Amino acid sequence: MPQTPDKAAILAKAKAHNWFHAIRLYDDFVTGGPDRTAEKLTVLDTIGLPRDMTGMRVLDIGAWDGFFSFEAERRGAAEVISLDHVAEEATGFPIAAEALQSKVSWRQRNIYHLDPKDIGTFDIVLCLGVIYHLRHILLGLDRVRGVMNQGGLLFVETASIDGHVMRNSGGFGKLADAAPDADQTPLLQLYPGKELGKDPTNFFAPNRAGLDGLLKAAEFSVVNSTALTKAFPSRAFAQARAVSDPETAFYRDRDEAVLSRRKTF
């Protein structure tokens, strides 16, 4: 018989940890954390995150404390892998996994090193709060596409400029005010220093149309996308389906190839 986890010991560790996600470990205890976790889940559900993941293989990139990984498991996923660039001990994941008696597994990997030979392929991939930290966004999305089953669903959430574009003064204002009628134009803003939240790892933020464009360039078909513009910074969300597009695939592959001849479509 498996031993029941020691609730008192787990709570002691949980209360001592600095959490990012708000995770309900017990009926009477939810971890504290600055992330708007519940709000994100509501938006993801609205744009089509499956309520029933029975039989699906799920990858949660940038999982950190693991809220969305555990939610996928709760929704019936056959296997869930939490992936982040740090060791699990640096996060609250092992504490939450013990409390929830979870079977979710942890992989310490960089998004650029995703390889189907290493971790297989997935039906659903969550990439939440990740791409605006990437110096090479399309390379990261290419790697994500490479570990997805044909027709698999990708859910992305990112800081966006729809409600908060940086002006020349360094202040922030609505994109619509800075560039009228630009909301349907695919755009990204670069933060070469610490302009966004004084965080040197915040490199790029797209508008919602820019997020759609990035996904298309990485061989996805956007199913649904939206932007939330009230909180700072604004956020963009998208559901996209892994598709086969020979022309897009060629240019994706060209980044890794030495060509014997130039080929264009």
Side-chain angles (χ1 to χ4, degrees):
M1 292 288 292
Q3 189 172 12
T4 303
D6 184 336
K7 180 178 177 179
I10 293 172
L11 283 175
K13 290 186 288 187
K15 291 174 181 177
H17 184 72
N18 184 23
W19 294 86
F20 179 67
H21 289 145
I23 303 175
R24 182 171 295 281
L25 301 187
Y26 300 101
D27 289 341
D28 57 353
F29 183 81
V30 179
T31 65
D35 186 57
R36 302 195 297 272
T37 313
E39 179 184 345
K40 288 181 183 179
L41 182 60
T42 297
V43 178
L44 291 168
D45 285 338
T46 299
I47 66 171
L49 184 69
R51 303 272 184 172
D52 183 358
M53 299 184 183
T54 301
M56 296 181 179
R57 197 162 187 261
V58 179
L59 176 64
D60 182 9
I61 300 171
W64 205 251
D65 295 327
F67 173 90
F68 295 98
S69 300
F70 301 129
E71 179 63 20
E73 182 179 51
R74 189 185 70 79
R75 295 186 182 199
E79 182 183 6
V80 183
I81 293 178
S82 295
L83 184 144
D84 217 309
H85 69 296
V86 299
E88 61 181 308
E89 292 78 14
T91 76
F93 177 87
I95 302 171
E98 184 180 11
L100 299 172
Q101 300 184 59
S102 172
K103 294 182 180 179
V104 174
S105 61
W106 181 274
R107 300 290 181 90
Q108 185 178 358
R109 298 286 190 280
N110 188 298
I111 190 173
Y112 300 125
H113 301 156
L114 287 174
D115 185 342
K117 295 178 182 177
D118 173 39
I119 61 172
T121 57
F122 298 86
D123 304 298
I124 293 178
V125 173
L126 307 174
C127 189
L128 311 175
V130 174
I131 67 168
Y132 62 98
H133 295 301
L134 301 181
R135 292 169 59 90
H136 310 289
I137 297 179
L138 279 176
L139 176 60
L141 289 173
D142 280 346
R143 295 293 185 265
V144 172
R145 176 64 183 85
V147 296
M148 294 192 66
N149 293 326
Q150 185 74 6
L153 296 178
L154 169 65
F155 292 86
V156 179
E157 177 267 335
T158 179
S160 81
I161 58 173
D162 295 273
H164 300 95
V165 66
M166 188 175 70
R167 308 288 186 85
N168 290 339
S169 64
F172 289 81
K174 291 184 179 179
L175 176 60
D177 294 339
D181 302 321
D183 58 320
Q184 298 302 314
T185 302
L187 299 171
L188 286 86
Q189 184 161 65
L190 168 66
Y191 306 104
K194 302 179 183 179
E195 295 87 355
L196 182 61
K198 298 181 180 180
D199 185 343
T201 73
N202 291 338
F203 291 112
F204 293 96
N207 62 346
R208 184 201 54 77
L211 177 57
D212 289 354
L214 287 166
L215 291 166
K216 181 179 179 181
E219 211 173 357
F220 290 95
S221 173
V222 176
V223 178
N224 199 355
S225 64
T226 190
L228 302 184
T229 60
K230 291 183 179 180
F232 179 85
S234 49
R235 318 294 288 193
F237 294 75
Q239 178 200 160
R241 188 178 302 278
V243 296
S244 178
D245 181 338
E247 182 174 356
T248 302
F250 168 77
Y251 289 110
R252 287 179 57 229
D253 293 343
R254 192 175 67 165
D255 288 344
E256 302 180 26
V258 176
L259 303 178
S260 58
R261 63 185 179 88
R262 184 183 180 95
K263 178 182 179 184
T264 58
F265 283 79

